[in-house]
Amino acid sequence: MSKITAAITAVNGYVPEYVLTNHELETMVDTNDEWITTRTGIKERRILKGEGLGTSDMAVPAVEGLLKKRGISAEEIDLIIFCTTTPDMPFPATANVLAHKIGAKNAWGYDLQAACSGFIFGLTTGAQFIESGKHKKVLVVGGDKMSSIINYEDRATCIIFGDGCGCALLEPNTEGFGILDSVLKSDGSGAQLLFQKAGGSLHPASHETVDAKEHYAYQEGQAVFKFAVTNMADVAAEVMERNSLTADDIAWLVPHQANKRIIDATANRTGVSADKVIVNIERYGNTTNGTIPLCLWEWESKFKKGDNLILAAFGGGFTWGSIYLKWAY
């Protein structure tokens, strides 16, 4: 019997309609278009507007589009792994909320929290259920409503983050396509450099935490940048070296969209030329768990069966990782 691998068989994405440009940010905080573009590569980001809308409300159209593409019903899904830093609420899991909204009556699910590396961790986790033979259809969703935890008076974070959601379906493959290897890492010593202080059991919500703006994302930009530049590039190179892959063997590098300079450093470290690096940061900013699936969604038509893809991400915690996969369709 051939070895079973977990192959991506469909991808889809969704971004909100509202566009927050650098020029609009100039009216909100002390910054300008040139400063933002030079340091991050971001021109605009999408924001989910409207009362009573959460991360699951972006996941619904993304997933429904995926099911339509694949020609399957929600009831065929076995498992939903929802990778998010901004769940609809602390509990129940947004995966369960999503399952109810789309009618995935036969799926169990849970949320996975690894900051911006969540989708990489989620794909790798979902692959285990496929490889073991336990499940046939695993849905991995990556999405965040980052605008819900961003202080638009904080120049260090408000210029970077946006809202969006993407998803991928994993199914068994015996032709040698799919997820072939991964390198996953974490280091809790970086916790105080990129985090949301309040809202958990350590600092529950109170008048004091709200007044101190501790429910917003906080980032030490320079320290995070240094760590990310080195580590995201290193794991991408490591997964290539482990599988005897050169830059010529790689069809596409799919990096987390946090900062254009981090993307460029990862490309340089792996030797992959700029024309093979997927970049959409200028239009969406950093959508946290949404960046990689949104890249896969936007470039899907350019992928060919058998293409070698390297996925790489870095996130708060710190977390970072890479995946080597062979495109299956």
Side-chain angles (χ1 to χ4, degrees), residues 279-298:
V279 182
N280 61 13
I281 190 173
E282 72 283 357
R283 285 177 291 120
Y284 301 140
N286 182 354
T287 56
T288 303
N289 285 280
T291 65
I292 287 177
L294 286 173
C295 284
L296 295 176
W297 168 55
E298 287 207 317

Side-chain angles (χ1 to χ4, degrees), residues 218-289:
Y218 169 82
Q219 170 168 284
E220 290 273 357
Q222 267 313 110
V224 173
F225 176 81
K226 276 189 202 166
F227 205 96
V229 161
T230 306
N231 287 283
M232 191 165 118
D234 281 354
V235 286
E238 183 179 341
V239 84
M240 285 173 63
E241 287 160 15
R242 259 180 26 180
N243 291 278
S244 303
L245 296 166
T246 68
D248 292 336
D249 298 319
I250 305 305
W252 299 99
L253 175 65
V254 192
H256 169 53
Q257 311 285 303
N259 182 300
K260 183 63 166 60
R261 290 183 292 167
I262 298 173
I263 293 170
D264 291 343
T266 304
N268 291 336
R269 176 81 170 79
T270 57
V272 175
S273 58
D275 61 325
K276 298 197 289 186
V277 182
I278 296 178
V279 182
N280 61 13
I281 190 173
E282 72 283 357
R283 285 177 291 120
Y284 301 140
N286 182 354
T287 56
T288 303
N289 285 280

